[in-house]
Amino acid sequence: MGNRGMEDLIPLVNKLQDAFSYIGQACNLDLPQIAVVGGQSAGKSSVLENFVGRDFLPRGSGIVTRRPLVLQLISATAEWAEFLHCKGKKFTDFDEVRQEIEAETDRAVGANKGISPIPINLRVYSPHVLNLTLIDLPGITKVPVGDQPVDIEQQIRDMIMQFITRESCLILAVTPANSDLANSDALKLAKDVDPQGLRTIGVITKLDLMDEGTDAREVLENKLLPLRRGYIGVVNRSQKDIDGKKDIKAALEAERKFFLSHPAYRHVAEKMGTPRLQRVLNEQLTNHIRDTLPAFRSKLQSQLLALDKEAEEYRGYRPDDPSRKTKQLLQMVQQFSVDFEKRIEGSGDQVDTVELSGGAKINRIFHERFPFELVKMECDEKEMRREISYAIKNIHGIRTGLFTPDMAFEAIVKKQVMQLKGPCVKCVDMVIQELINTVRQCSNKLECFPMLQEETERIVTTHIRDREGRAKDQVLLLIDIQLSYINTNHEDFIGFANAQQRTSQSNKSQSSAVNQVIRKGWLTINNISIMKGGAKEYWFVLTAESLSWFKDDEEKEKKYMLPLDNLKVRDVEKSFLSSKHIFCIFNTESRNVYKDNRTLELACDSQEDVDSWKSSLLRAGVYPEKVMAVESESTAATENFSMDPQLERKVETIRNLVDSYMAIVNKCIRDLMPKTIMHLMINNVKDFINAELLAQLYSAGDQNTLMDESQEQAQRRDEVLRTHQALKEALAIIGDISTTTFTVPMPPPVDNSWVGGAGGRRSPPSSPTSSRRMSSGQRPAPRGAPPPPNRPGPLGPFNNTAESPQAPSRPNRAPPSIPSRRPPPSPTRQAPP
């Protein structure tokens, strides 16, 4: 025989499972665990077996349950059992299940009453159960026996607390009727973890074993020692019945006859017994299921709303319709054009907050990377002077010149201008790479049509490569134009007369920008020793004359200020274990830069940040280190070279003239390069996409082939339509469940302070005997509980929940068939506050 109440819940849960299986999701109801807690020989295992409807737990004297038994009930079409420690072995005979539990317990703790917190995991598959977890826990004992440790009581309490502290665990506090209820350890433990009584149900066993002339009527009526969910009395099989193989069905029938025939319980017989306990637990399961429905419904509705628009587009969709393919091709190309333009020109929708891309990255190339590449081409000062002196001497030849030759100036200038070709070509390459990346990003929206995506990328990339050659030719033409004529009459050129004044003028212009803030940001100082805390991140502020860093971006606590005089920048090879990119600042005169450090190593998260900081340092006059190809030879030549005062003046004059003219050229190139690339490449590519891409696609091949869907897209369409329909059906099923089930309200709170626990007081009755005696005169009322009233009416106390201990007790009339032998309480007595 199974648990009938549980069987009624199975179709309800199956509906939910079906609803979620349609949409490929798990229906995680997280049904509560049910833990049976009580003292030794209180009847816990029998209560558990009656709930499951199977006889499979060990029996005997003393501590029978010596390890926690975690029983997982799993709904299935057939009935069998499996142990976690016996994987693959199925038990169809539940007598063998009981024997295996006993054997596994003995293997772990021996046969001499020892206990272990390691649980035995048993799974029972049956068509008569729900997916639940039931826990049979060792009985609470006071005195160790056999080889049990001296702290056996504390060990068992800790073991029980591991399970009942979970909020999803229902607690069946089992107490035998022939013991003192006010001293129940099960109720005390339940009160410790569930002070409001929301998860605790009192279970009174062994009602048939009470002394003659006594009963537990007032306890079961929840009047004497009230609990919020009240008490349920059960009558389990005796040891004789178990030895005689009395089945559970016959035991339940005998239990019902006991309550109907007992004069103290017949008026509450419908509220007692194992079926009632099953019904209360199943009501709790139903409540839990209904409580989870709103969250499920909200989740499904949000998913349905997200799919509505896409499902509407796919509804009535015909993949082979030529008109649909033509329309969709036009829409795709138009969308590609709009996306490309937005990425280049910038847009407020779909903003990338992770990294720079498209137009923002090209802007950075124009105004940070390209100027940085130009400055890197500048040669070392000593090397420049040596080249100028050689040029002057070679121009004069065998003669000693009296005047500074302008041919030396032109030779040096042309050499410097020729070196600009490398940075200019590199700038074009960087812009082309970013354009190609942008095309790929925009074509991702075409991935549902693989042929169209591939052909679009091919056509646009080919056009970009075609424009690359023209752009580079034009850029090199700009350099050749600069080489063709050295315009010494330019308005910004200082001329020979003013060459000597250039140094003082540059110093004045530099001093005017002393307080200008060039950049702020976070950097990590990488070369701080571990003894001093290791690498740390600081807030850096770069001005025209110093580099300062602070504790944070509030700039209140300055850590250090580093003057920029005689500083240069060089790259540092990335560490194998470090994810950061590093560069360092050093002093050209080999002095310490920061405290005892010859260099200041600074780390960024990306190479782009490193390049950006280098560009900012260039603006502040901190140049990158010049790496000479033949360093030893050039150094030796420089050291052996000497100049007379007259030659030195000529070199200084031409040096200033070259600086002045190259500043004009650099300014011109930095202005023309972005304009040239924009005109010949970026704007041209945009116009090509808008005007010619569609025609190129039509001429590239068969339109039907281009618009063939990918297999993933076809699956996606079918999945969206199926999921959309399944969500509607799931919501309908949840609505049916909501209307076909009802929630049993939680009983109102009662004064359960008589139970020992957190903050509670413990006031047991005067004696165990008097607390149970019902027919030998009036029973003394315990402290902290209301005085005992007369017997209630035929419907019993369960029709209007437990009587509040704060209300004055009122005498009730006894049913005519059960004469009351107790004198009524004094009408003046009041319940204690």
Side-chain angles (χ1 to χ4, degrees), residues 766-779:
S766 56
S767 70
T769 304
S770 63
S771 68
R772 297 188 307 273
R773 196 168 302 280
M774 302 296 293
S775 59
S776 302
Q778 183 178 354
R779 174 171 49 189

Side-chain angles (χ1 to χ4, degrees), residues 378-422:
E378 294 181 3
C379 64
D380 185 76
E381 181 69 22
K382 292 180 180 180
E383 178 69 14
M384 171 69 77
R385 291 178 178 276
R386 186 175 63 84
E387 290 180 358
I388 294 173
S389 67
Y390 283 163
I392 293 173
K393 288 185 175 182
N394 287 331
I395 289 172
H396 287 309
I398 198 170
R399 296 178 300 275
T400 301
L402 298 177
F403 304 101
T404 304
D406 55 353
M407 293 178 64
F409 162 74
E410 287 195 14
I412 298 299
V413 165
K414 287 184 178 181
K415 181 179 178 181
Q416 294 290 310
V417 172
M418 283 289 292
Q419 292 178 349
L420 296 179
K421 289 185 177 181

Side-chain angles (χ1 to χ4, degrees), residues 200-304:
T200 304
I201 299 173
V203 180
I204 306 299
T205 60
K206 301 188 179 182
L207 291 167
D208 54 333
L209 301 181
M210 295 184 69
D211 295 340
E212 186 177 354
T214 63
D215 58 52
R217 175 177 174 174
E218 290 193 353
V219 172
L220 296 177
E221 289 175 350
N222 204 29
K223 293 180 179 179
L224 179 62
L225 303 171
L227 288 177
R228 186 165 188 173
R229 288 188 177 273
Y231 298 87
I232 297 175
V234 296
V235 176
N236 297 324
R237 293 175 297 169
S238 65
Q239 190 62 44
K240 180 180 178 181
D241 294 335
I242 295 171
D243 295 339
K245 303 296 183 180
K246 185 177 183 179
D247 64 14
I248 293 179
K249 182 177 181 180
L252 294 178
E253 185 62 31
E255 179 188 52
R256 176 170 175 77
K257 288 181 180 179
F258 171 81
F259 284 113
L260 289 174
S261 61
H262 198 288
Y265 308 133
R266 67 176 60 167
H267 67 292
V268 291
E270 296 301 323
K271 308 295 183 182
M272 295 291 114
T274 299
R276 168 65 181 176
L277 177 60
Q278 293 174 347
R279 202 156 47 245
V280 168
L281 292 175
N282 286 320
E283 286 172 357
Q284 182 64 22
L285 298 179
T286 305
N287 287 354
H288 180 84
I289 292 172
R290 284 180 60 89
D291 290 342
T292 60
L293 291 184
F296 283 142
R297 182 184 292 109
S298 176
K299 178 182 178 181
L300 295 180
Q301 286 175 340
S302 63
Q303 292 178 351
L304 185 65

Side-chain angles (χ1 to χ4, degrees), residues 443 446 449-459 697:
S443 68
L446 308 178
F449 302 102
M451 291 297 297
L452 177 62
Q453 181 184 16
E454 182 181 346
E455 197 64 22
T456 300
E457 286 186 12
R458 184 190 66 80
I459 291 173
L697 286 170

Side-chain angles (χ1 to χ4, degrees), residues 612-636:
S612 180
W613 271 100
K614 285 182 180 179
S615 299
S616 299
L617 287 166
L618 281 176
R619 293 173 56 192
V622 180
Y623 293 93
E625 180 184 25
K626 179 67 176 180
V627 180
M628 301 300 295
V630 284
E631 184 177 355
S632 59
E633 295 180 6
S634 63
T635 303

Side-chain angles (χ1 to χ4, degrees), residues 305-346:
L305 186 63
L307 290 178
D308 273 342
K309 184 177 179 181
E310 192 174 2
E312 188 63 30
E313 293 176 357
Y314 290 148
R315 196 171 286 113
Y317 183 87
R318 290 182 298 167
D320 298 329
D321 184 5
S323 61
R324 179 203 61 80
K325 290 187 175 182
T326 302
K327 180 181 178 182
Q328 201 157 24
L329 176 60
L330 292 172
Q331 290 175 343
M332 289 289 185
V333 172
Q334 184 179 10
Q335 185 62 44
F336 177 82
S337 176
V338 170
D339 290 344
F340 184 83
E341 186 161 355
K342 282 183 176 180
R343 284 187 174 272
I344 296 299
E345 301 295 337

Side-chain angles (χ1 to χ4, degrees), residues 31 168 484 569 594 799:
L31 294 178
S168 62
S484 64
V569 179
Y594 171 59
N799 291 322

Side-chain angles (χ1 to χ4, degrees), residues 776-797:
S776 302
Q778 183 178 354
R779 174 171 49 189
R783 295 186 302 273
N790 280 341
R791 294 182 179 181
L795 295 178

